[in-house]
Amino acid sequence: MGPRYQAKVPVARRLVSRTLGRIAITAAERPETARSVARVTACALWGLETAIVTVEVDVANGLPAFVVVGLPDAAVQEARERVRAAIRNSGFEFPLRRITANLAPAERRKEGTGFDLAIALAILRASGQLRIEITALCLGELALDGALRPIRGAMPRIRHAAARGTTEVFVARANVEEAAASGPLAFGFASLREVVDHLEIRARIAPTAAPPPAPVPRPQIDLADIAGQETPKRALEIAAAGGHNLLLVGPPGTGKTMLARALPGILPPLDDEEALAASAIHSVAGAIDPRHPVLTARPFRAPHHTASHLALVGGGSPPRPGEVSLAHCGALFLDELAEFSPAVLDTLREPLEERSITISRASGVATYPARFLLVAAMNPCPCGHWGDTGAECRCLPDAIERYRGRLSGPLLDRIDLRAHVPRVPYDELRDESRERSNLVRDRVLAARERMRQRQGRGVNADLGVAEVRRFCRVDGPTDALLGEAVRTRHLSVRGYHRVLRVSRTIADLAASDAIRDEDVALALLLRSDV
């Protein structure tokens, strides 16, 4: 090594040392309030399944970088840019160092934008700009200017955290009513700066009180508004009492849609558990009222016949609940049933039987409850006048066959009640002595109470095979009537059990402990082809 080269080495070392001294922050220069690793609690959501997530942030010496680990999806990965801009535009300093954010446990995939607030607070804590430990659950999406935006699914996340000991939650103002209704102390903030000021007691914000329940909506249609149609009204009452699926078939303009829309007026009210379960699904779907997050009336969903199977049963990435789940604990009304795509209708088979829907994707599996009462309406043929005494049908036989063939046999087998809705004579149109919905609702409530005392929770439509044998026993003559119906109508085993469940509901409406032969006869009549 020549003397000229040896003389240049110390100069190079001094230049490198001087340059690194400008970039790196040594341990001695680290703020006293900084922590090597800061932890903030958040919550992940997959369908309705929730899990506590610990957001760990390490701010270390090194070249500037920001890495998020722990199986984040694209929305969580993009949190890096949102958090960076939100911290800077909120008046804080974003550390020009190596930042690693870990979402633990790292074995489950994290989805959505609900981790932004937790990541930002953990960075401020780890870099020493926030001097207070954060013990509250933090949920929220950050805007580039530091504003705090609401997220979907706040209610099931907060309920999960509250069941595991969480006493405080920080959310956006638009989510604070959901948080307050879920149990813990709920604090709603408009921005990241407000959260930090609250933590450091510069501008404390009072917790939000639980919102008052919304007024029960008035039913759109009363049964007294519908002229005639005593048999369809009777079928509607049986469906409401026992939770049985109902199909209304008749010519146009005879009142099928009015009958279906009168159903909410005779359904029993939601209990507390049902209200929270239905509200959680609406929270995940982003369809909740921020002012009144807890539902007070049973859902009544009526999708258009052009709805896709994803809209009906749910799907997407990440999976979102469909209409069958949004109707949980309520009713799903499918008007013009035969106009739906046959492939779409067949997706209802499993939810009608299992009372839930499981959506499987490569990124994971989401299960949503789907315990709903199906009410459907359709015309008997394309022109609507097949079997109508007041108008002539113009459809060819093969057209009628194709029209009715759009409803598969397995789907029809899951519909307990099938009522014909005929044309109403003029004399019945002028008759004003019609029973109001509140009187029918009283009978429905009384029948539900009999079910509760006999079998605990649930309705007759939910009875299993063993429970059918226990609670739906019949005497000899009634059993002979059932046997004849099975032989002549070729009832399936499912159809046989469903007839017994409907018979049990009819007996409950009549305040009878035993199933009578007239109960079975009416159940068979309402299951005949229409």
Side-chain angles (χ1 to χ4, degrees), residues 82-92 143-146 193:
R82 292 192 298 270
V83 168
R84 191 196 315 270
I87 289 178
R88 189 176 62 250
N89 292 326
S90 297
F92 302 104
L144 298 183
D145 61 353
R193 168 58 72 177

Side-chain angles (χ1 to χ4, degrees), residues 263-276:
L263 177 65
I266 63 175
L267 286 174
L270 287 167
D271 60 31
D272 293 340
E273 184 178 343
E274 289 176 329
L276 290 175

Side-chain angles (χ1 to χ4, degrees), residues 344-354 408-411 414:
V344 171
L345 291 178
D346 282 340
T347 60
L348 293 174
R349 294 185 191 178
E350 290 82 2
L352 287 174
E353 196 71 24
E354 303 297 332
S408 65
L411 177 63
R414 289 167 167 84

Side-chain angles (χ1 to χ4, degrees), residues 31 83 88 99 136 230 327 359 372 432 437 486:
V83 168
R88 189 176 62 250
I99 303 172
E230 296 306 320
I359 304 169
F372 60 92
E432 297 294 336
S437 291
V486 169

